[in-house]
Amino acid sequence: AVLMCRGKAMQDFKGPDCRFVNFKKGEAVYVYYKLIGKSTELWAGSVGSDFGYFPKDLLEINHNYSNEELELPTDVSLIC
């Protein structure tokens, strides 16, 4: 996976299930995929050693690594 950007969590987030990554306000979040299709509000990335989906609106981007946008169809599901 190509690291696309890094952001800072603007608020706490706890996902509804194990496909989501949880974070606390102020934590660094690394973005690897921007989802297309039904879930355009979700991105996928990592916080520490955890990887999963999260709402893109909760992230303040502070560093872009790649101009190449990797988009995944939303029917690609993470295995829990």
Side-chain angles (χ1 to χ4, degrees):
V2 177
L3 181 58
M4 296 174 61
C5 56
R6 183 185 72 220
K8 188 170 71 175
M10 294 190 289
Q11 64 186 68
D12 293 356
F13 173 69
K14 182 151 176 52
D17 60 46
C18 64
R19 293 170 302 162
F20 289 79
V21 65
N22 301 325
F23 48 72
K24 299 262 189 254
K25 182 177 179 180
E27 279 193 298
V29 181
Y30 294 86
V31 180
Y32 290 91
Y33 302 107
K34 296 180 179 181
L35 304 184
I36 56 175
K38 294 181 209 138
S39 303
T40 51
E41 299 309 304
L42 291 178
W43 285 352
S46 64
V47 178
S49 59
D50 297 327
F51 185 90
Y53 298 131
F54 56 89
K56 66 179 185 183
D57 295 345
L58 301 185
L59 206 59
E60 175 190 323
I61 300 302
N62 47 28
H63 190 84
N64 279 306
Y65 292 100
S66 171
N67 293 327
E68 191 183 325
E69 299 230 335
L70 274 179
E71 296 184 326
L72 282 183
T74 50
D75 56 7
V76 174
S77 61
L78 291 173
I79 310 278
C80 292

